[in-house]
Amino acid sequence: TAQRQQHSPSPNSATIVIWQSPIGSFYLNQFSSLSIMSTLERVITQLSAGKVQGCKSALPNGNSYCLYRGIPYAKPPVGELRFRPPVALERFEEEVLDCSYERSSCYAYMHFPPTVAVSEDCLYANVYTPIDPTEIERTIPLPVMVWIHGGGFIAGSGDAAIYGPRYIVQEGVIVVTFNYRLGPLGFLYFPEKGIYGNMGLKDQRFLLKWVQENISKFGGDPDNVTIFGESAGGASCHLQYLCESSRKYFHKAICQSGVAVTVWTEQMDAVSKTRNLAKFVGCVAESDDEIYETLMSAPADDLIAGSEQCVSDLDRSIYRIFAFSPVVEPKESEDPFITENYVDILRNPNMTNIPLILGLTSNEAICFIQNLSVELYANDAKLFVPPQLAVPEDRLLQVGEEVKRFYFENRTVSSENLQFLLDFVSDCMFVIPVCVASELHSRYQHSAPQYFYCFSFEGKSNHIKAMFQNDYQLEGAAHADELTYMFEASFFTTEEMDTDSQEYKIRKAMCRMWTNFAKCGNPTPDEDQLDILWQPVEKIDPDQEKYNIRALDLNEPSKMVDHPFEKRVNFWKRLFEKYGGNYLLHRALQ
């Protein structure tokens, strides 16, 4: 678990944080960045809650931009507001709020990247705009892109240590990053005492509302907002897409390596986990009132530490490595988010016309190597059967052998053949669910254009792959590898690239396509100078048998391909037909 400092850094403080994690120790020196910020030209913008003072700096192309960090977008969710939906902040305490530095991140079980401070008071946004506040009245409003960070609903923040958006901003858009509540503070569910869960998702929705009310003050167009995110951030974008009360706040969505129907998204046995957490933090009674009082008064650190103990054996068996995540709420919930099954919502014909991008990396599971025991899979073929697949107990071994044979053919399950195990894990955690979402969208959402990609580029900035693959020489791009091409990250030292390099070209292409989509709903419009036409996924009749995902292979050069995972998807379709019915409707692998 990360070692944490429980204070917000002042812009004049020098804070060195050591981060200890299962993958090593890292250091972050805030002094240099804060010192640089203190020398930059200041700019002031008037918002609905008061004035914010940011800084002016330079984009990689030399143009200027303004950055405002640590803007509170809701009241601190502390005290009686713990476990409650976010509440509007009417006025800032200061006449002019200093927004030259990032505030506290939310409490998390593990901090990746390391953070300088954590607190329950964590609902802050960062705005990056190429428009000077003195020029807003004379400038055409720009498209807005709101980034939702990943981290399994238990980790992460919107900070620039990973998500510095200068490469995106210089394409002519405004970028907003932000924090939302995580772990039990964001997703604990106890309806017996009026705690209906999804606080983190409601924070996201509240931030989108804040954007609608304030982004014009930064030169943004509230009528042209795109949400985009990766992993749990991608799943969050998809959940916002499915949420009727959220859709009025945005106009396009990009879901990277995460959708609502991934196996790790929806929380199971939510009330049981809440009761178990109360025991871990010292509740000896079992009444709802005493459990509630314990959870409301427990230190946030204890809640986060205890949440690891709430992960069930079923969770682990289906690669859900964290306890607290989104739930489907009852209709009587306070400020409900989603009250229907995700698949049922997707099957509601033409529920929206919002354009959508879905995508994956070519070798998602590389970053989970250290959590995989090859020996366990080698010794027990039944582990190849997802628990939700309705296979009779006396046939588990037979089906497990069938799955193992599909992935490994005649090879042994061993470290030498690790890639085939990674294919299996990638399919369970990401590939099959994202393809399910894509197919449901194509069959039922004919009013909404859909684009699909697979990021397969391998280059010097594939930092996630380099961090996790150890001595293995694996092909393809790992989960989250695309982020260090889209974003500038001090944590990974994403240096400037030679303009003739493949890395520079893939960065330029991705940022251009993502911002084109934000501008007009088409990643490769005719008037752009890109060398590729990204074709949308075809719309098909709900009862049509054959389905093909026409996808963009994001590489250098990029090209259109037919269904990059077709063989693996078809295998699972056949297996579901044999044991569980239509794989589009079944909860297994979802």
Side-chain angles (χ1 to χ4, degrees), residues 18 38 44 48 98 121-122 148 196 209 219 234 274-275 287 317 335 342 346 363 373 384 420 456 478 484 566 587:
I18 182 170
S38 66
I44 294 178
S48 58
D98 183 1
D121 177 6
C122 62
I148 305 180
Y196 292 102
K209 181 176 182 289
T274 295
R275 295 184 184 279
S287 75
S317 70
D335 191 20
Y342 309 146
L346 277 168
N363 203 347
S373 172
F384 285 98
F420 305 105
S456 61
T484 44
E566 183 175 26
R587 296 180 70 86

Side-chain angles (χ1 to χ4, degrees), residues 270-308:
V271 173
S272 295
K273 289 175 180 175
T274 295
R275 295 184 184 279
N276 287 337
L277 180 61
K279 292 179 182 178
F280 285 121
V281 297
C283 184
V284 295
E286 296 188 1
S287 75
D288 292 346
D289 287 343
E290 288 169 301
I291 288 172
Y292 176 77
E293 290 301 324
T294 298
L295 294 171
M296 287 294 290
S297 61
D301 262 335
D302 292 351
L303 293 174
I304 297 299
S307 66
E308 184 189 21

Side-chain angles (χ1 to χ4, degrees), residues 137 175 181 223 283 297 302 344 405 443 517 522:
E137 297 300 327
V175 175
R181 282 173 284 179
D223 294 323
C283 184
S297 61
D302 292 351
D344 291 343
R405 194 160 49 249
R443 291 183 182 278
F517 183 74
N522 183 344

Side-chain angles (χ1 to χ4, degrees), residues 520-551:
C520 65
N522 183 344
T524 56
D526 294 339
E527 62 271 17
D528 209 317
Q529 300 301 310
L530 292 167
D531 295 328
I532 183 71
L533 176 63
W534 189 347
Q535 301 165 8
V537 179
E538 67 173 330
K539 300 175 177 67
I540 63 172
D541 187 85
D543 299 322
Q544 182 174 321
E545 182 175 345
K546 190 172 182 180
Y547 174 65
N548 174 46
I549 298 178
R550 187 80 171 140

Side-chain angles (χ1 to χ4, degrees), residues 30 57 70 93 100 130 133 156 169 234 271 304 334 364-365 408 458 460 541:
Q30 283 292 95
S57 190
E93 293 182 359
S100 64
V169 172
V271 173
I304 297 299
E334 177 187 8
E364 295 273 2
F408 286 84
E458 300 177 60
K460 296 177 182 177
D541 187 85

Side-chain angles (χ1 to χ4, degrees), residues 343-588:
V343 173
D344 291 343
I345 298 174
L346 277 168
R347 294 179 68 215
N348 180 18
N350 300 318
M351 65 170 182
T352 181
N353 61 358
I354 294 175
L356 178 69
I357 291 178
L358 298 177
L360 295 156
T361 65
S362 58
N363 203 347
E364 295 273 2
I366 286 176
C367 67
F368 298 97
I369 286 176
Q370 297 179 15
N371 300 105
L372 287 178
S373 172
V374 177
E375 184 178 358
L376 283 177
Y377 282 93
N379 293 333
D380 188 359
K382 289 185 287 188
L383 293 176
F384 285 98
V385 182
Q388 311 97 309
L389 197 58
V391 177
E393 180 70 27
D394 60 351
R395 300 196 63 183
L396 276 176
L397 183 59
Q398 175 189 340
V399 176
E401 290 289 351
E402 182 180 352
V403 176
K404 183 175 75 171
R405 194 160 49 249
F406 170 77
Y407 284 94
F408 286 84
E409 296 180 344
N410 295 320
R411 304 175 187 91
T412 59
V413 179
S414 64
S415 296
E416 289 73 24
N417 296 317
L418 177 65
Q419 182 55 62
F420 305 105
L421 182 58
L422 294 180
D423 287 344
F424 167 73
V425 174
S426 292
D427 287 351
C428 290
M429 293 187 71
F430 300 101
V431 174
I432 302 302
V434 173
C435 290
V436 164
S438 175
E439 185 166 344
L440 286 169
H441 192 94
S442 291
R443 291 183 182 278
Y444 296 100
Q445 304 307 319
H446 291 181
S447 299
Q450 179 202 169
Y451 298 86
F452 196 100
Y453 73 87
C454 176
F455 181 86
S456 61
F457 180 76
E458 300 177 60
K460 296 177 182 177
S461 289
N462 287 54
H463 291 294
I464 300 296
K465 179 180 180 180
M467 182 182 293
F468 287 98
Q469 73 172 345
N470 299 326
D471 295 329
Y472 295 104
Q473 296 301 312
L474 300 166
E475 295 184 355
H479 185 68
D481 258 347
E482 79 273 28
L483 298 184
T484 44
Y485 293 94
M486 297 172 59
F487 292 98
E488 193 174 35
S490 59
F491 180 64
F492 292 116
T493 315
T494 49
E495 67 285 340
E496 290 291 326
M497 300 170 177
D498 188 320
T499 55
D500 292 328
S501 68
Q502 288 189 321
E503 287 83 358
Y504 177 87
K505 292 175 181 176
I506 195 71
R507 168 177 284 168
K508 184 68 175 176
M510 280 199 73
C511 290
R512 177 66 63 82
M513 286 188 280
W514 261 233
T515 54
N516 280 343
F517 183 74
K519 292 172 183 177
C520 65
N522 183 344
T524 56
D526 294 339
E527 62 271 17
D528 209 317
Q529 300 301 310
L530 292 167
D531 295 328
I532 183 71
L533 176 63
W534 189 347
Q535 301 165 8
V537 179
E538 67 173 330
K539 300 175 177 67
I540 63 172
D541 187 85
D543 299 322
Q544 182 174 321
E545 182 175 345
K546 190 172 182 180
Y547 174 65
N548 174 46
I549 298 178
R550 187 80 171 140
L552 179 70
D553 178 17
L554 260 173
N555 208 317
E556 184 50 43
S558 295
K559 62 180 183 294
M560 293 300 301
V561 297
D562 286 322
H563 207 323
F565 304 100
E566 183 175 26
K567 181 180 178 182
R568 285 147 61 177
V569 169
N570 285 341
F571 169 76
W572 285 104
K573 280 187 175 182
R574 291 192 298 270
L575 204 62
F576 271 76
E577 288 171 0
K578 194 171 182 179
Y579 297 105
N582 187 339
Y583 97 129
L584 291 175
L585 309 182
H586 202 282
R587 296 180 70 86

